[in-house]
Amino acid sequence: MITRRTLLSTLAASAVTAPCAFAAELGDDGLHKQPWFMDSFLELPDDLADAAERDRHLMVLVEQKGCPYCREMHEVNFARTEITDYIRQHFDVVQLDLWGAREVVDFDGEALEERALAQKWGVNYTPTTILFAAAHAGAGDARAAETFRLPGYLKPFHYLSSLEYVESGEYRKQPFQRYLQDKFAELEEKGIDPDVW
């Protein structure tokens, strides 16, 4: 006869030995970390200029401690190699803390704390992914430098599509919604049903 104690012991043991889903590492600041994040001096004009010299773009991730959607981005989106490989190939990534106090130099040259920069940029949700295309290196302010913003969590298909939208230069030609419609039509022609949700 299985007792409650035996059942609980068995369940606990299987939880320890069972394979678990991808879990992103937490840093000392409580934010999830990826090994391909840039170790930056947080001088964003220089970061974008350096990326552009190597034909890359700059991605700024604004996150906060305890954010469940940030965790989802790391444990779902960044667990997919098609996304992380694409990021690593085309983007330099800087992570900022929505409530952080590190000094950051904005594109207009102003030095301010992360939390003040987030407020200045109108970041209201975490995670917020802001993409700065290489073509915008040398822009005089963040508004001119910013290419595309993902406010909040996007599922993997839309997240990767956003990266492709910037890398391909399609942001110059059409709105993102039109780009997605074209992508859906192209996949449908090939008989592919994208995993959107």
Side-chain angles (χ1 to χ4, degrees), residues 57-148:
H57 312 286
L58 179 65
M59 173 190 292
V60 175
L61 292 175
V62 183
E63 302 181 58
Q64 67 178 310
K65 180 179 179 179
C67 167
Y69 295 108
C70 300
R71 184 185 68 236
E72 188 85 355
M73 179 179 67
H74 284 269
E75 293 185 355
V76 175
N77 294 19
F78 295 164
R80 293 187 176 210
T81 56
E82 68 270 20
I83 292 177
T84 56
D85 288 351
Y86 198 85
I87 291 171
R88 292 170 74 159
Q89 183 177 358
H90 299 290
F91 291 87
D92 286 347
V93 182
V94 173
Q95 182 186 51
L96 299 178
D97 183 347
L98 182 68
W99 306 109
R102 294 181 302 167
E103 184 177 271
V104 184
V105 177
D106 195 357
F107 290 94
D108 60 7
E110 183 181 9
L112 59 171
E113 292 182 342
E114 292 165 281
R115 55 185 161 226
L117 180 73
Q119 185 175 20
K120 179 180 175 183
W121 285 5
V123 175
N124 297 311
Y125 309 100
T126 55
T128 290
T129 303
I130 306 173
L131 305 175
F132 300 93
H136 296 170
D141 60 39
R143 175 171 263 166
E146 184 177 321
T147 307
F148 194 68

Side-chain angles (χ1 to χ4, degrees), residues 127-189:
T128 290
T129 303
I130 306 173
L131 305 175
F132 300 93
H136 296 170
D141 60 39
R143 175 171 263 166
E146 184 177 321
T147 307
F148 194 68
R149 180 181 293 218
L150 296 72
Y153 174 71
L154 279 103
K155 293 286 188 179
F157 178 83
H158 289 87
Y159 199 89
L160 180 57
S161 296
S162 300
L163 304 177
E164 293 167 344
Y165 178 65
V166 170
E167 164 57 24
S168 68
E170 285 296 314
Y171 69 90
R172 294 186 195 105
K173 303 173 190 172
Q174 61 183 331
F176 183 61
Q177 287 72 18
R178 171 59 63 190
Y179 172 77
L180 278 179
Q181 288 173 345
D182 292 348
K183 187 173 180 178
F184 282 129
E186 185 180 315
L187 291 171
E188 188 176 27
E189 267 183 31

